[in-house]
Amino acid sequence: MDRWYGVGVVEVLPVSTYVTIVVFIVGLIYVWVKWSGKPLHLRWELYPVPHEPGRTHYGGSYMEEVDWSKRKLSKSLTEELKEMLKEMLFLKRVYTYNRPLWYITFLFHGGIYMILLWFASLLVYSVLTVYVSETVASIIMLDRLNQFFGYVGIFATTIGVIGLLIRRVADNSMREYSGKVDYFNLIFILVVLLTGFIALSVDPYFSLARMYMVMIVSFQMTQLPELHPLTILHIILLQLLWIYIPYSKMSHFLGKWFTYHKILWDDEPNIRGSRIEYRVKEIIRGYKIPWSGPHMKKDKSWLENASEVE
Amino acid sequence: MEVKAVSRVKVSDIGKNVEQLVRLDLKDLMPLPPPYDKPGMEPEMTQPKDEWRLKYATDLDGYIGIDIPWKPQNKEEEELLTQRFLEGLKKLLSEEGNWTFLQPLLLSLEYCAKCQTCSEACPIYVSSGRKEIYRPTYRSEILRRIWKKYLTKTGKLFSDEVELNAKTILRLGELAYRCTLCRRCTQTCPLGLDNGLITHEIRKLFSSELGIAPKPLHELGAKQHLKIGSSTGMTPEGFKDIVKFIEEDIKEKYGKNIKIPIDEKSADILLIHNAGEYLSWPENPAAFAIIFEEAGISWTLSSELVGYDAVNYGVWYDDVMLARIALKHIEAARKLDVKKIVIGECGHAHKALTVVADRVLFDEYNIPRESCLPLLWDIVEKNKLNLDPSRNNFPVTLHDPCNIVRLMGIVKPQRNILSKICPQFREMNPSGVYNYCCGGGSGFAIMQSMNFPEWRSKIASRMKFKQILEAFRDTVENPEVPKYVCAPCSNCKGALRDTFEHYQATSRYNIQYGGLADLIVNAMVDLKTPYLEFLK
């Protein structure tokens, strides 16, 4: 890579890696705050709600009992976690309701999980190497594991993403609804993966990758290994992808937490004196109605609108 | 008149300048099982009258859900409609305008992967022969594209094809009334997104900003409910007269001298029925009176304005109307100083007052609200009634009202009762929380204007009718055997009544429908004659 305004691209890489990590984390926090900062919504749960003890298997709720409001309601966190993991790891709903898509999307998502494990093993290896000893890292075979995750991950994700692209183009119902951004996201990921293959071809045992990570975790930016220009291109694209993820639809892993936990599984009743009741009071006294419909009292509070009927 | 329609509809066709986007044909619809698999078993589909086209939005599929004349008559009116729609959309996406559902709405708009996993879960889409306009994602995608294109900074650059014009708005308005809000699609969404909610939100935009909603829901429904006391137009005096009539009827037919309590102070329970029951199925409130009397329950009805009609049509189209009605229900309970409200066999009233309105109530307005179904099971389970199941020895199947089952998780009590008192009880497939809507959900059951009932019976209720025929497949063609669809919900009963009439299912095959309380009373040993009319 050529020099740019006197600074080599290679020299910027470690700095941009740190910047990427920071921007990514800030982005995730931004998304989290954006969604969790939305006002309390009306209840809109959908059964089965998996934390109903003893009722999850048929979709029952505490409202099946007489005088439920007099009882202390319990929730089963285990059941909820079980359902969450089935969805996260195995994409349960796609498996149940859209099997042809599942084969492809499972390969894609499974591949991503493997790549994340690749990153994680790389990180642990490097931390151990820098702060404990390289021998310990070798003893627990982290380098081997790292290779396994890396190869399975990149192949599975690439096949998956190509499959998803083909399906999006070939399937009428998906093509008609897909927008520019849907294609851009998949193509972006594919390009990163293809440059990843090139990087892999010059570093088949991930030794450069390990050296790079060692440099990052040790904060020794001068110890940058010598990298092939295409490897540098891959790292730059990968960094751009990480920066882009929180601000794109790819942050659905966070969005999903809200759709399930905060909406579809949110069956928490509004009990007298509870935090929910406090928030309800605040909202319906505070918000003013902006609507112009003839039955609305525009600019009056929600409470005034609800309680004053002509 | 021959109407040209688009042969393969795309999302971007929504604003296309054609008279009618889609023309439905009987031969395209999902086939029905025997004995409805033969030609001539159901009426053909019709086209709207020419005069309707001038005033109403027949531009979508020729059917009219919004029965108020809202079609713009000139360019200026078209532009005004477009502007006002965009204003409404801004409010829909703001905290002040829509705190009630902002988070779920934005999540559903932002994250859809267009995987279409939800489509096959939708009974309307499948029943229609998979017409594109009824796909759960179709109307959502239109709203999403309008939002991105016209209301976001990057919209012009990255948005996808959609044209915002009067045709788009007219069709989107009608499309909001081609979904029963059953939310089966949401159960299948891998990301937990809710196309049913988006439908609800489009309805809200039209109602809250433009004042546009079907008359039976708004003008004759929620507004009349608040003003006169009931969406049926029944006044408090009229209500008291009907209750008197029911008392006399119980005495005359079954020899039981029951005083139905009205406005009894400090009773344990305020029971609120859907007022439609008193007019169309008085045997259901009568059955409750018989059961409660026999079981020694402390209860009362209310003759307070709104307090005798459990419906809350606001839940389908307008959050402010929902809150207004819910507060009136609570006021009725407070006046009588009851311990709790129990809602009769009405699905949407269950959900509206118990669940959705839960977060608009506080302090002394936050009083317990419960379903009647656990209470009925409690009475049956504890043998407070002397019941003989052999009196219900005919095929019975259970329809699960979406609002009570999928949206509230009340699944078992009604099943426990039927298993105990109906020897020939059989489930539909699928059932419970995965049930299919009756086709009357979200207000469709009471929308009877122009050609809408035809669309409802042929498309919206088609899957339910198929399920019913399959549940009774062993005896369906034998009119000697009465077959009973137990539907513990007024609106579901209304939809079933119209569906059975459309397909002549009762007159041809003796397929009946009714409530759960009715079946319980029919099994009571001390009744000299059967309680269910068709057994007499």
Side-chain angles (χ1 to χ4, degrees):
Chain A
M1 283 275 165
D2 287 326
R3 298 181 75 77
W4 185 67
Y5 286 96
V7 184
V9 172
V10 174
E11 289 148 34
V12 175
L13 267 192
V15 180
S16 65
T17 303
Y18 292 122
V19 171
T20 301
I21 294 167
V22 172
V23 174
F24 178 72
I25 293 169
V26 168
L28 291 188
I29 294 170
Y30 164 77
V31 176
W32 186 267
V33 170
K34 179 177 100 171
W35 290 121
S36 55
K38 295 280 176 269
L40 177 81
H41 55 80
L42 300 186
R43 271 174 66 184
W44 199 246
E45 67 249 39
L46 186 72
Y47 291 84
V49 171
H51 57 231
E52 297 284 350
R55 294 192 170 105
T56 305
H57 63 284
Y58 67 88
S61 79
Y62 57 82
M63 287 173 278
E64 287 188 320
E65 285 178 38
V66 176
D67 286 330
W68 58 262
S69 58
K70 289 182 183 167
R71 300 202 177 97
K72 193 174 170 350
L73 302 175
S74 57
K75 284 185 185 179
S76 164
L77 185 65
T78 329
E79 289 294 326
E80 191 165 326
L81 284 173
K82 244 166 58 186
E83 183 64 21
M84 227 172 75
L85 283 174
K86 275 189 222 165
E87 188 53 49
M88 276 169 57
L89 298 179
F90 304 110
L91 312 177
K92 183 187 159 188
R93 279 164 185 77
V94 189
Y95 180 83
T96 312
Y97 301 110
N98 196 349
R99 193 68 58 87
L101 176 64
W102 182 81
Y103 294 113
I104 309 168
T105 196
F106 181 68
L107 212 54
F108 176 69
H109 285 88
I112 289 173
Y113 295 150
M114 294 306 261
I115 290 175
L116 290 176
L117 285 172
W118 177 75
F119 267 118
S121 57
L122 210 58
L123 182 70
V124 174
Y125 174 89
S126 308
V127 169
L128 285 177
T129 305
V130 174
Y131 298 104
V132 185
S133 87
E134 200 174 343
T135 328
V136 176
S138 306
I139 287 170
I140 51 176
M141 306 268 287
L142 275 170
D143 49 345
R144 293 286 169 85
L145 262 180
N146 180 240
Q147 282 170 30
F148 173 76
F149 293 141
Y151 274 92
V152 175
I154 194 166
F155 274 99
T157 315
T158 308
I159 298 167
V161 80
I162 292 171
L164 288 176
L165 257 172
I166 292 173
R167 193 178 159 91
R168 203 168 276 280
V169 177
D171 184 312
N172 273 343
S173 65
M174 286 186 81
R175 189 180 60 245
E176 294 296 347
Y177 289 75
S178 297
K180 293 169 196 141
V181 174
D182 297 305
Y183 290 111
F184 174 79
N185 290 350
L186 289 175
I187 291 168
F188 192 1
I189 294 170
L190 181 60
V191 170
V192 173
L193 287 163
L194 292 180
T195 56
F197 272 106
I198 296 167
L200 192 64
S201 68
V202 295
D203 182 25
Y205 300 104
F206 300 119
S207 43
L208 280 175
R210 279 197 291 275
M211 282 163 73
Y212 190 86
M213 190 61 102
V214 165
M215 175 203 72
I216 293 293
V217 301
S218 64
F219 300 97
Q220 302 288 322
M221 283 185 264
T222 49
Q223 290 178 9
L224 181 71
E226 199 163 311
L227 299 171
H228 188 277
L230 288 170
T231 307
I232 295 172
L233 177 68
H234 171 65
I235 295 174
I236 293 170
L237 286 172
L238 187 62
Q239 288 177 350
L240 288 175
L241 179 65
W242 277 73
I243 288 170
Y244 174 62
I245 284 172
Y247 306 96
S248 73
K249 259 194 223 184
M250 286 183 266
S251 66
H252 62 243
F253 55 91
L254 282 183
K256 210 165 162 167
W257 195 89
F258 288 93
T259 56
Y260 282 104
H261 294 266
K262 294 291 170 191
I263 300 164
L264 302 180
W265 298 349
D266 177 11
D267 60 349
E268 194 173 343
N270 173 12
I271 304 289
R272 293 275 292 266
S274 66
R275 209 169 61 87
I276 288 185
E277 193 184 55
Y278 176 77
R279 288 174 72 190
V280 168
K281 279 188 208 178
E282 245 184 4
I283 286 176
I284 79 168
R285 283 174 180 157
Y287 282 130
K288 290 199 163 39
I289 298 265
W291 297 105
S292 307
H295 57 293
M296 295 287 174
K297 297 172 193 294
K298 198 177 175 183
D299 298 326
K300 283 200 168 190
S301 76
W302 236 85
L303 186 59
E304 288 166 316
N305 260 276
S307 51
E308 293 169 15
V309 182
E310 281 153 15
Chain B
M1 186 179 86
E2 187 58 34
V3 174
K4 278 190 180 165
V6 177
S7 56
R8 232 187 97 239
V9 178
K10 291 190 256 175
V11 177
S12 53
D13 289 334
I14 191 72
K16 208 168 192 170
N17 191 18
V18 289
E19 190 153 35
Q20 193 176 308
L21 200 56
V22 170
R23 194 180 192 284
L24 298 173
D25 197 321
L26 195 57
K27 68 177 177 358
D28 295 337
L29 306 188
M30 177 190 73
L32 289 170
Y36 286 86
D37 53 344
K38 300 173 240 346
M41 288 296 282
E42 61 173 309
E44 287 294 327
M45 304 198 82
T46 60
Q47 281 299 299
K49 293 178 185 168
D50 286 344
E51 63 262 33
W52 294 347
R53 292 188 188 278
L54 301 173
K55 291 195 221 162
Y56 308 101
T58 52
D59 311 61
L60 179 72
D61 52 7
Y63 290 92
I64 299 157
I66 302 177
D67 55 349
I68 54 169
W70 67 295
K71 203 165 183 173
Q73 299 298 314
N74 52 48
K75 273 268 162 249
E76 286 74 38
E77 283 183 19
E78 285 184 5
E79 273 167 28
L80 188 65
L81 180 67
T82 313
Q83 279 169 19
R84 292 180 66 203
F85 175 85
L86 266 186
E87 277 305 306
L89 185 53
K90 278 184 209 159
K91 292 171 190 175
L92 192 74
L93 300 167
S94 73
E95 285 194 9
E96 287 248 311
N98 197 19
W99 66 269
T100 46
F101 286 107
L102 188 65
Q103 188 191 50
L105 172 65
L106 286 177
L107 283 161
S108 292
L109 285 176
E110 283 218 350
Y111 283 117
C112 180
K114 332 284 169 67
C115 69
Q116 310 294 16
T117 303
C118 56
S119 302
E120 290 300 309
C122 174
I124 290 178
Y125 173 67
V126 175
S127 296
S128 72
R130 297 182 172 76
K131 290 277 180 262
E132 201 60 36
I133 56 166
Y134 302 139
R135 194 187 279 279
T137 49
Y138 189 78
R139 67 181 74 75
S140 306
E141 184 59 20
I142 292 160
L143 191 74
R144 185 177 292 117
R145 288 187 184 186
I146 294 172
W147 166 48
K148 293 272 182 198
K149 185 170 175 179
Y150 296 94
L151 296 179
T152 60
K153 284 174 195 152
T154 51
K156 289 271 181 299
L157 276 177
F158 299 109
S159 67
D160 300 301
E161 205 183 339
V162 71
E163 195 187 344
L164 184 61
N165 56 27
K167 285 268 184 206
T168 302
I169 297 169
L170 288 166
R171 286 175 182 144
L172 191 61
E174 276 297 327
L175 262 179
Y177 291 92
R178 298 295 184 278
C179 159
T180 63
L181 310 183
C182 80
R183 297 176 69 209
R184 255 189 131 249
C185 56
T186 312
Q187 282 179 317
T188 68
C189 178
L191 297 172
L193 310 181
D194 198 334
N195 288 301
L197 175 85
I198 293 179
T199 309
H200 176 270
E201 298 299 287
I202 298 172
R203 292 181 179 194
K204 179 158 64 193
L205 188 167
F206 277 94
S207 165
S208 303
E209 183 66 12
L210 307 164
I212 293 168
K215 252 194 239 168
L217 268 56
H218 184 58
E219 205 61 44
L220 303 173
K223 276 181 80 178
Q224 180 168 242
H225 194 183
L226 290 165
K227 198 173 175 188
I228 294 174
S230 164
S231 56
T232 59
M234 188 194 298
T235 60
E237 288 312 309
F239 161 72
K240 285 183 202 164
D241 287 347
I242 290 178
V243 171
K244 258 202 174 61
F245 161 78
I246 290 174
E247 282 174 351
E248 285 162 15
D249 204 45
I250 293 172
K251 190 174 179 186
E252 196 179 303
K253 285 184 180 160
Y254 311 106
K256 284 184 176 284
N257 213 349
I258 291 175
K259 174 90 188 95
I260 298 177
I262 298 182
D263 299 332
E264 294 277 336
K265 283 228 165 202
S266 304
D268 287 348
I269 289 169
L270 166 63
L271 177 67
I272 316 181
H273 292 292
N274 176 324
E277 296 284 336
Y278 296 110
L279 299 175
S280 301
W281 304 284
E283 63 277 10
N284 184 268
F288 270 89
I290 295 169
I291 293 168
F292 281 12
E293 169 82 8
E294 191 81 13
I297 303 285
S298 159
W299 70 293
T300 184
L301 299 174
S302 164
S303 69
E304 186 69 21
L305 209 71
V306 184
Y308 53 91
D309 190 354
V311 306
N312 190 337
Y313 296 164
V315 77
W316 296 321
Y317 76 100
D318 194 304
D319 299 336
V320 172
M321 296 306 270
L322 161 92
R324 285 175 179 167
I325 294 168
L327 289 190
K328 289 282 174 200
H329 284 140
I330 301 290
E331 274 170 15
R334 287 187 62 217
K335 269 199 176 158
L336 295 174
D337 195 27
V338 294
K339 293 198 176 98
K340 64 182 174 186
I341 295 175
V342 168
I343 300 143
E345 294 185 15
C346 176
H348 87 277
H350 266 72
K351 188 186 71 173
L353 194 56
T354 315
V355 175
V356 187
D358 192 36
R359 290 180 185 169
V360 293
L361 305 174
F362 57 85
D363 293 343
E364 64 276 15
Y365 276 71
N366 195 353
I367 69 167
R369 289 103 47 212
E370 287 179 19
S371 162
C372 64
L373 300 178
L375 179 62
L376 288 176
W377 168 232
D378 191 63
I379 291 168
V380 171
E381 188 187 22
K382 289 178 179 156
N383 295 317
K384 290 183 181 170
L385 310 172
N386 196 2
L387 301 174
D388 174 10
S390 70
R391 290 176 174 233
N392 286 334
N393 195 12
F394 44 83
V396 173
T397 191
L398 174 66
H399 164 65
D400 286 297
C402 303
N403 287 302
I404 296 176
V405 183
R406 180 167 28 255
L407 310 181
M408 282 181 75
I410 301 175
V411 187
K412 273 210 168 158
Q414 59 274 40
R415 291 184 154 69
N416 292 342
I417 295 170
L418 291 180
S419 302
K420 195 161 176 176
I421 66 167
C422 299
Q424 294 190 50
F425 168 57
R426 73 275 310 270
E427 290 278 9
M428 291 191 201
N429 183 27
S431 61
V433 291
Y434 301 108
N435 75 313
Y436 280 113
C437 173
C438 62
S442 81
F444 288 5
I446 53 162
M447 287 163 60
Q448 303 287 16
S449 298
M450 293 171 271
N451 56 3
F452 193 77
E454 178 183 293
W455 182 86
R456 183 188 57 224
S457 293
K458 287 213 177 295
I459 312 276
S461 296
R462 196 172 191 83
M463 189 64 86
K464 180 52 61 181
F465 188 54
K466 176 175 180 275
Q467 274 194 296
I468 291 168
L469 295 175
E470 284 167 351
F472 293 134
R473 66 166 70 80
D474 52 342
T475 55
V476 73
E477 293 191 54
N478 183 356
E480 297 299 312
V481 179
K483 294 157 280 281
Y484 189 88
V485 181
C486 173
C489 167
S490 301
N491 284 308
C492 298
K493 282 194 291 196
L496 290 177
R497 174 193 59 203
D498 294 352
T499 305
F500 291 174
E501 204 177 303
H502 182 83
Y503 295 99
Q504 297 176 47
T506 307
S507 56
R508 282 171 174 162
Y509 301 111
N510 202 358
I511 301 177
Q512 310 284 343
Y513 70 92
L516 179 63
D518 322 34
L519 265 179
I520 296 173
V521 174
N522 195 59
M524 283 173 72
V525 173
D526 65 340
L527 244 58
K528 300 283 179 287
T529 53
Y531 192 72
L532 299 171
E533 276 299 322
F534 62 86
L535 295 176
K536 286 176 184 167

